[in-house]
Amino acid sequence: DDDDDDDDDDDDGDVGRWSERVLQDWVALEHAPEECRNDPDLVTEAIRLSAGEAMRFASEALRADADFVLGAAQEMGVGIVEGAASSLRGDREFMLSLAEMYPIVEVLEYASEELRGSLSSDRAFILRLLPSMGTAALDLASEDLRNDASFVLKAVAVTGPLALEHASSDLRAGTALMIAAARQVSSAASKTGVMPKMLVDLLAQIGDGQVPESEYWVDNGKGVSFWDVEGVVSDYQVSLARRGALELRELAEGGEPNNSLILVHRSRRLG
């Protein structure tokens, strides 16, 4: 019995010595006894000393402990999740709890591939992100969702016509989505010929070289008239690209950025 007590004392002493080593040099945690690597207080201190790196040396139990990892992430940043157990990085509830602390885009960088795929195809999930993220949420959407006209129109209803930038090329190539988007942007637009404010605002951002509003009114000769929303969005994209190129050129030449541009309006019209 006395021998057993001595062994326990030796174990306690060994753990104590390892704890001291870890506090002096957090890298020691990698080779520390399981009892040390499973000690939340010791591991937390090692994580602080290592700017988060020590998480990968914690016990499997701690790395899979949602509360422990969330607490560490709250203090040290979302990057700490890289060292968490794969089971957590694939856990939808855990990752969405993390998204309450950090932007979902950052959080998804550490999610499992399977979970990212699941969330990108989740129509309700992406739509819930739109009010707070705007069209940036559509960067997360799967190709199937981008090719879903009803989904894209819901996005247009929330974020405006720039949501059409994220529609699939197949949808943008046809007239059906554009007519529906034009009517949604303004229910009276296809009848009155008065450009909706959302489109006017986009055109205003194009700047010098802006094409007259009337050029975006389309009559396909079949009794259907609508605002060429896709045309406005395309020209807006062109204006941003050209403005960026001009600014880079001016800066390269040592001058001041020149925000003016001459927009070459695309000649294609939806018919």
Side-chain angles (χ1 to χ4, degrees):
D1 291 342
D2 290 341
D3 289 341
D4 290 341
D5 291 340
D6 289 342
D7 288 341
D8 290 341
D9 290 340
D10 288 342
D11 290 342
D12 290 342
D14 194 38
V15 169
R17 284 191 292 274
W18 271 104
S19 296
E20 290 177 5
R21 287 186 198 175
V22 170
L23 293 177
Q24 291 174 359
D25 182 2
W26 64 269
V27 177
L29 185 65
E30 180 179 10
H31 304 291
E34 178 75 5
E35 187 174 347
C36 289
R37 295 189 299 111
N38 200 41
D39 181 336
D41 293 332
L42 179 61
V43 172
T44 295
E45 192 56 38
I47 287 173
R48 289 171 179 151
L49 292 171
S50 64
E53 289 293 321
M55 174 64 82
R56 56 197 168 101
F57 298 142
S59 68
E60 183 64 24
L62 275 185
R63 294 194 304 114
D65 185 318
D67 291 335
F68 177 77
V69 177
L70 281 174
Q74 186 172 23
E75 180 178 343
M76 301 300 300
V78 67
I80 200 84
V81 179
E82 185 173 11
S86 58
S87 59
L88 274 188
R89 289 185 285 110
D91 186 298
R92 180 185 178 111
E93 183 178 351
F94 169 78
M95 296 305 288
L96 292 184
S97 294
L98 196 60
E100 294 177 4
M101 304 178 190
Y102 300 102
I104 186 67
V105 174
E106 294 180 20
V107 170
L108 290 181
E109 289 182 20
Y110 302 99
S112 67
E113 184 175 346
E114 182 179 359
L115 180 58
R116 283 199 302 272
S118 174
L119 290 174
S120 71
S121 299
D122 188 329
R123 179 189 183 98
F125 171 71
I126 300 295
L127 290 175
R128 281 199 302 272
L129 296 178
L130 289 174
S132 59
M133 291 183 63
T135 56
L138 299 175
D139 289 331
L140 305 175
S142 67
E143 187 60 31
D144 284 344
L145 283 182
R146 294 175 191 226
N147 198 41
D148 182 331
S150 64
F151 169 79
V152 173
L153 288 174
K154 283 184 179 293
V156 170
V158 176
T159 64
L162 285 182
L164 294 172
E165 291 180 300
H166 301 270
S168 69
S169 56
D170 288 343
L171 282 182
R172 290 187 66 172
T175 59
L177 178 66
M178 296 307 127
I179 294 172
R183 288 174 174 165
Q184 184 164 287
V185 168
S186 174
S187 60
S190 62
K191 298 177 182 179
T192 66
V194 177
M195 179 173 275
K197 185 177 184 301
M198 285 183 179
L199 300 184
V200 172
D201 290 343
L202 278 184
L203 287 181
Q205 295 181 55
I206 291 177
D208 296 342
Q210 174 179 321
V211 176
E213 293 179 10
S214 59
E215 290 296 312
Y216 295 97
W217 181 253
V218 178
D219 187 337
N220 67 1
K222 301 175 183 178
V224 178
S225 300
F226 59 95
W227 285 106
D228 184 5
V229 180
E230 199 272 346
V232 176
V233 171
S234 292
D235 288 345
Y236 173 76
Q237 291 173 315
V238 170
S239 76
L240 292 183
R242 292 172 69 86
R243 183 179 293 117
L246 287 172
E247 289 182 2
L248 288 174
R249 187 179 67 188
E250 290 289 334
L251 289 173
E253 294 174 352
E256 293 297 323
N258 185 347
N259 290 326
S260 66
L261 59 90
I262 299 175
L263 177 64
V264 177
H265 181 57
R266 68 181 177 88
S267 60
R268 181 175 70 83
R269 275 282 167 241
L270 299 173

